[in-house]
Amino acid sequence: VDDLDNCPAVFNIDQADDDGMGPGNACDLDFFRGLIAVDDINGNSSPEFVVAHRDITTGDGRFNSVGVYDGMTGQLLSNYNYFGVENRRPDGLLSWTLDSSQSVALSSTGFQGLDLSEQTTSSFPGVQARDPVNGNVIVNLFPWNSNWTVKQSIVSTDASFGGEAVLITLAESKLSGLMAVEIQGTASKAVLTRQYPLGFGWTPVSMQMVKVQNEPAVAVLATRNLDGLTVIQVRRTSDNSLVRNVYPLGLGWSPVAFRTVPDLNANGSDEVAVLMVRDSDGLTLIQVRDSETNQLVANVYPIGAGQSDWQVRQFEVVSSNQNTLFAIVTTRATDSQILVQMKNPLTNEVVKNNFFLGPPWQLREKMVVVPDYTQNNSDELAVPAQNSNTGERLIQVRDAIDGGLLINIRPTR
């Protein structure tokens, strides 16, 4: 990692570090590690974008930094680090690795767009929240302990938690493989409850929060070790009681992405949607099922379903004119063209094909859905990309429905 003199003059994105886009490269010193949108900071009626980086440094190890950029001008507003020398782990060590970031509100009276970044190491998990305006630490939380591997964390500000934002963490025991969900208060730091979905013999993949008859519930997606069967177990947060086991598709399919969908069949409960790939031929399908009844609501076929030239990378739920749409991110194998296809999940109709950056630009990290700030009743989409020839990074923001270019933001770090 320290042998930087041998770095090639031309950056090769296919050798990107461990963000899921390729194998490691010692020369990839500073790259997208996460992208989120937060509420307007400087009062110009546009959101700001928080770009998470991981920097390879000397001395105390790998420091994690974020840059906050104005969504209207692209100007760098602030820059700060996470878990630096002043924030030692409970075991006294210093090394942290930035895993993810998300936009949350940790106080009903505080700034409604705080940045939360999860830090995990091989030995100890931790979460730190900082104010994106000045980088001040809001809270340090340490879910679980060194015997557990944190798979994912989300934050909920649901009123049922007594006005306190809670950190919900999905973890897996290093000793037994048992999965568990912990709900911890961000103000009190107290563990409110723990759930143990499914039991032994299952591997956790991801989780989502859903509403079941207006009650919050945790939906955990897992695969069975024996045969790869995918199941989503839904449990209420109030008493940890089982709501339903939801079974998307069945044997022979592997999950890629998992999202919550606002109640499409009007029965009072959210839907769960899973992007699946068929093991035999690579066919992709988004199956939508009711979180309370397991009822099949829709099958959505992304562009390239059964066509080898397009690869489905991600899908997100988008609001447009009070309708729910899927924004499906695909890249073309021949030239890395980035296409976000907007589809109606109930009719499978293509609403719009939004072409983002083409070659030599390649998709870098995940697309982010930004709540409508152009006031046309449609969300915006922010796609991070990197130039495979020069290493330049870019965040392109377009309107989800008309596809119009809103801004290109060029992170400076």
Side-chain angles (χ1 to χ4, degrees):
V1 170
D2 295 326
D3 186 14
L4 305 182
D5 292 336
N6 296 323
C7 289
V10 178
F11 179 83
N12 182 356
I13 198 168
D14 292 328
Q15 294 180 339
D17 210 321
D18 58 350
D19 59 351
M21 309 303 262
N25 174 17
C27 306
D28 187 12
L29 298 185
D30 189 19
F31 58 88
F32 287 132
R33 189 62 182 171
L35 170 67
I36 59 173
V38 300
D39 292 350
D40 184 24
I41 293 174
N42 58 359
N44 66 351
S45 301
S46 72
E48 321 310 346
F49 292 93
V50 179
V51 180
H53 308 275
R54 193 185 70 187
D55 305 327
I56 297 175
T57 65
T58 58
D60 288 312
R62 296 184 173 188
F63 287 178
N64 310 286
S65 66
V66 298
V68 182
Y69 297 86
D70 181 69
M72 188 74 72
T73 66
Q75 176 188 1
L76 178 65
L77 301 179
S78 60
N79 204 333
Y80 49 89
N81 291 331
Y82 274 86
F83 276 106
V85 176
E86 75 281 8
N87 298 118
R88 291 179 179 271
R89 286 171 15 199
D91 58 9
L93 300 180
L94 292 173
S95 178
W96 296 88
T97 298
L98 180 61
D99 276 0
S100 64
S101 58
Q102 58 183 293
S103 176
V104 300
L106 293 183
S107 168
S108 59
T109 59
F111 185 82
Q112 298 298 299
L114 297 175
D115 175 46
L116 179 73
S117 288
E118 175 187 345
Q119 324 285 326
T120 62
T121 67
S122 59
S123 61
F124 214 101
V127 173
Q128 183 172 95
R130 288 180 180 261
D131 189 315
V133 178
N134 52 31
N136 291 340
V137 175
I138 303 298
V139 67
N140 287 325
L141 299 172
F142 301 99
W144 302 103
N145 56 46
S146 58
N147 293 325
W148 294 81
T149 299
V150 170
K151 309 294 289 188
Q152 182 188 357
S153 65
I154 56 180
V155 170
S156 174
T157 55
D158 192 276
S160 65
F161 295 115
E164 180 182 24
V166 296
L167 175 71
I168 304 173
T169 309
L170 174 66
E172 184 177 28
S173 170
K174 296 177 182 178
L175 304 177
S176 65
L178 180 70
M179 76 179 80
V181 174
E182 180 180 272
I183 301 179
Q184 181 182 16
T186 59
S188 65
K189 299 187 180 180
V191 175
L192 305 180
T193 188
R194 283 178 176 170
Q195 299 179 358
Y196 297 90
L198 291 166
F200 296 102
W202 294 82
T203 298
V205 179
S206 63
M207 69 175 170
Q208 293 284 309
M209 289 293 293
V210 297
K211 281 294 188 72
V212 178
Q213 300 302 322
N214 289 320
E215 284 190 66
V218 178
V220 175
L221 183 147
T223 56
R224 190 162 60 190
N225 299 342
L226 177 66
D227 54 12
L229 177 69
T230 298
V231 67
I232 301 166
Q233 186 167 100
V234 184
R235 288 184 175 271
R236 296 177 182 87
T237 60
S238 58
D239 58 6
N240 296 333
S241 60
L242 176 66
V243 176
R244 176 72 62 170
N245 285 330
V246 177
Y247 295 92
L249 291 169
L251 296 176
W253 293 80
S254 298
V256 177
F258 174 38
R259 295 291 180 265
T260 298
V261 184
D263 184 19
L264 291 176
N265 58 3
N267 74 337
S269 294
D270 289 338
E271 272 61 84
V272 287
V274 185
L275 172 63
M276 307 280 283
V277 58
R278 190 159 61 191
D279 301 335
S280 61
D281 59 5
L283 177 71
T284 53
L285 170 66
I286 302 172
Q287 186 162 94
V288 185
R289 286 185 173 269
D290 187 271
S291 65
E292 183 182 16
T293 66
N294 192 36
Q295 174 194 358
L296 176 62
V297 177
N299 283 326
V300 179
Y301 294 89
I303 183 174
Q307 302 174 26
S308 60
D309 198 32
W310 289 95
Q311 180 183 4
V312 180
R313 308 296 292 273
Q314 175 193 359
F315 83 102
E316 300 294 339
V317 179
V318 173
S319 175
S320 175
N321 295 317
Q322 299 183 339
N323 294 318
T324 297
L325 301 177
F326 286 170
I328 305 169
V329 183
T330 61
T331 56
R332 190 160 51 199
T334 53
D335 60 5
S336 302
Q337 172 67 56
I338 303 170
L339 169 63
V340 181
Q341 187 171 72
M342 309 300 301
K343 277 207 160 190
N344 185 316
L346 291 177
T347 66
N348 208 35
E349 171 193 6
V350 176
V351 177
K352 175 71 175 179
N353 283 327
N354 291 321
F355 287 89
F356 282 75
L357 296 150
W361 295 91
Q362 297 186 8
L363 183 66
R364 195 80 160 117
E365 268 292 341
K366 293 183 178 180
M367 178 189 74
V368 171
V369 177
V370 185
D372 176 38
Y373 69 93
T374 59
Q375 298 184 347
N376 70 342
N377 297 316
S378 246
D379 290 339
E380 274 62 78
L381 304 176
V383 171
Q386 192 154 16
N387 189 306
S388 61
N389 293 332
T390 66
E392 179 187 6
R393 291 155 298 142
L394 183 71
I395 302 166
Q396 187 166 96
V397 186
R398 291 182 177 270
D399 187 89
I401 293 305
D402 65 29
L405 176 64
L406 300 178
I407 191 172
N408 286 325
I409 298 174
R410 290 176 167 83
T412 56
R413 284 182 63 81

